Amino acid sequence: MSEKTSCPVEATLGLIGGKYKALILWHLAEAKMRYSQLQKAIPKVTPKILTQQLRELESEGLIHREVFPIIPPKVEYSLTELGNSLMPILIAMRDWGMGYLKMNKDIEPSCFMIHSKPIL
């Protein structure tokens, strides 16, 4: 979040407002993941955008990037305590979205978020 704001909602959206940031956080709540695992878990994200959003989440202190000094290099991403504190918000967003899709769009929700339970 490059600009400072005094609005709490704007601050939250600044942190998780990227198209794939919430999905990245959700996956990392389940387990540590490598870049390639995240790419497979979110097939619509391009490598450029995934890298960009991972860097932004790391710079904001929401995820931790651990580099293992082996060849070939191994990098794992995990949630920080601050990132984990966003999970109730993401769960509420999922639950609200499920109700919205069922009620207003007559669409049966079907995505990985329905069947997974992030660690709180």
Side-chain angles (χ1 to χ4, degrees):
M1 191 171 71
S2 57
E3 296 181 30
K4 292 188 178 187
T5 180
S6 60
C7 175
V9 173
E10 188 178 352
T12 305
L13 287 174
L15 292 172
I16 64 170
K19 186 171 182 178
Y20 298 102
K21 286 181 180 179
L23 301 179
I24 293 167
L25 292 168
W26 189 278
H27 282 295
L28 293 178
E30 295 179 322
K32 292 180 180 182
M33 296 182 83
R34 296 178 69 176
Y35 181 90
S36 60
Q37 292 172 306
L38 285 166
Q39 227 174 2
K40 287 177 187 170
I42 311 168
K44 292 182 181 180
V45 68
T46 65
K48 177 183 175 184
I49 296 299
L50 179 58
T51 299
Q52 176 187 352
Q53 296 206 342
L54 284 168
R55 286 181 181 155
E56 290 173 9
L57 290 167
E58 182 184 12
S59 73
E60 294 295 346
L62 299 175
I63 65 171
H64 173 72
R65 179 179 183 263
E66 184 173 0
V67 180
F68 295 89
I70 59 173
I71 297 190
K74 177 182 173 183
V75 177
E76 282 186 346
Y77 296 92
S78 59
L79 284 186
T80 62
E81 190 174 324
L82 181 62
N84 196 50
S85 72
L86 287 166
M87 294 318 298
I89 295 167
L90 297 179
I91 291 168
M93 289 172 62
R94 177 204 57 193
D95 294 347
W96 186 90
M98 285 174 44
Y100 173 79
L101 288 173
K102 286 180 179 179
M103 185 183 326
N104 296 311
K105 301 288 184 184
D106 198 28
I107 297 171
E108 189 62 35
S110 63
C111 76
F112 71 92
M113 287 180 148
I114 294 171
H115 306 294
S116 62
K117 301 276 187 193
I119 301 165
L120 294 178

